[in-house]
Amino acid sequence: MATATKAYLQDKDGKNLLLATDWSAIQNKPKNLATTDQLGKLSDWKRDGIQYENGAYDWDHVNNGFNCAYRVADFGSFKLVEVRLVFGVNKDIVQEVECIKLPAAIKPDGDEEIVQSTGIRGVMVHFKPDMTVGVYCQQFSNADKYTANGMIAVQHLYLTTL
């Protein structure tokens, strides 16, 4: 059976060094290190300013109303925005339909135009630069459509200086 060996960190004079538990004990540390009170703060989930259009609605079966919501992590000079959208539309969709208008308070600095597949064949969710979210069903045949009242779920993260 092997015996355990202890390892020590030593300075140039061969003296054992003890781990510092306080930043004040560290000498010659960089001046721009973040400490725990300087790290980003994450907001609660918010739904202020989210508007539903063209028959869209929050997919809310437990009455908490936070299926379509956003939160912001504030890092001082920039922010990270997380948008969660779990919603339905009360009509069949063949061509793109604008479903949700997001609040200007979370508008990105630049063009965040993206298209995300929902996992349903040919159905895409389109985040547009004007803060609208559209649903589009790509038609591979004349019968292809997004059927009304099905759940659509997407999540999007982006950086902004707000």
Side-chain angles (χ1 to χ4, degrees):
M1 184 166 137
T3 56
T5 304
K6 294 181 181 179
Y8 293 95
L9 183 62
Q10 296 181 338
D11 65 11
K12 65 180 179 174
D13 298 325
K15 295 179 186 169
N16 289 346
L17 297 175
L18 300 176
L19 297 175
T21 58
D22 184 355
W23 278 109
S24 64
I26 306 295
Q27 296 177 4
N28 301 321
K29 64 181 177 262
K31 302 273 189 247
N32 63 348
L33 291 176
T35 59
T36 54
D37 62 338
Q38 296 170 325
L39 298 176
K41 308 275 189 258
L42 184 61
S43 73
D44 292 331
W45 286 103
K46 298 177 185 180
R47 53 192 170 179
D48 304 341
I50 294 177
Q51 300 171 9
Y52 302 95
E53 302 175 337
N54 298 316
Y57 57 90
D58 188 316
W59 191 264
D60 184 3
H61 295 296
V62 292
N63 297 315
N64 67 9
F66 283 93
N67 289 314
C68 290
Y70 60 91
R71 62 184 176 174
V72 178
D74 188 347
F75 292 97
S77 62
F78 70 95
K79 295 171 179 62
L80 176 67
V81 178
E82 178 181 14
V83 178
R84 174 182 62 207
L85 301 174
V86 182
F87 65 101
V89 182
N90 66 7
K91 59 184 170 187
D92 292 348
I93 295 175
V94 176
Q95 300 198 356
E96 186 165 0
V97 174
E98 291 183 357
C99 295
I100 297 174
K101 181 82 169 167
L102 297 172
I106 60 171
K107 186 172 177 68
D109 294 339
D111 186 357
E112 270 301 313
E113 188 168 7
I114 64 163
V115 176
Q116 293 183 349
S117 173
T118 64
I120 301 168
R121 180 178 167 224
V123 176
M124 309 291 181
V125 177
H126 188 191
F127 283 78
K128 300 177 187 177
D130 66 355
M131 298 304 288
T132 59
V133 177
V135 175
Y136 174 78
C137 182
Q138 193 173 22
Q139 287 193 292
F140 297 105
S141 72
N142 288 338
D144 287 340
K145 63 182 176 184
Y146 164 73
T147 305
N149 298 313
M151 183 181 77
I152 300 170
V154 293
Q155 184 173 7
H156 183 48
L157 296 166
Y158 57 91
L159 299 172
T160 185
T161 56
L162 292 174

